[in-house]
Amino acid sequence: MDPLGILEKPTEWTYTEKYRGAGNFQIWLPFTVGNVKLCSIGNLVWIKEKDAAMVIELIQTETSTSGSKIMIQGYTLEN
């Protein structure tokens, strides 16, 4: 597999590891052209700090007075 790119400036992320079964994650990102191109359902995200690969299963956008954000979430490949 070849990397498609690097997500730009994540503002917040959570990763829940589970003893049995798949873990899950949630990442908030600024709404940029680069992030929009990389965030597609079925794409893989690798979190280097956790040495974990995950699959994107949900994408949501949010707009507020401080700007637009993308939230992606999914599960680890153990699923």
Side-chain angles (χ1 to χ4, degrees):
M1 284 193 253
D2 293 321
L4 299 176
I6 296 174
L7 295 172
E8 299 172 29
K9 301 179 184 177
T11 56
E12 181 181 340
W13 63 278
T14 59
Y15 169 68
T16 305
E17 218 169 350
K18 296 189 178 174
Y19 181 71
R20 289 191 181 174
N24 55 57
F25 76 98
Q26 187 174 69
I27 303 173
W28 287 91
L29 308 154
F31 194 95
T32 65
V33 173
N35 284 338
V36 170
K37 286 182 181 179
L38 294 173
C39 295
S40 295
I41 292 178
N43 278 4
L44 299 179
V45 174
W46 179 56
I47 296 180
K48 184 167 80 171
E49 291 85 353
K50 299 292 184 180
D51 194 27
M54 291 150 293
V55 178
I56 297 172
E57 68 174 4
L58 177 69
I59 303 165
Q60 293 181 336
T61 58
E62 178 183 292
T63 302
S64 68
T65 56
S66 61
S68 297
K69 300 178 191 177
I70 303 170
M71 186 275 297
I72 58 174
Q73 70 182 43
Y75 52 86
T76 58
L77 291 181
E78 286 87 8
N79 193 26

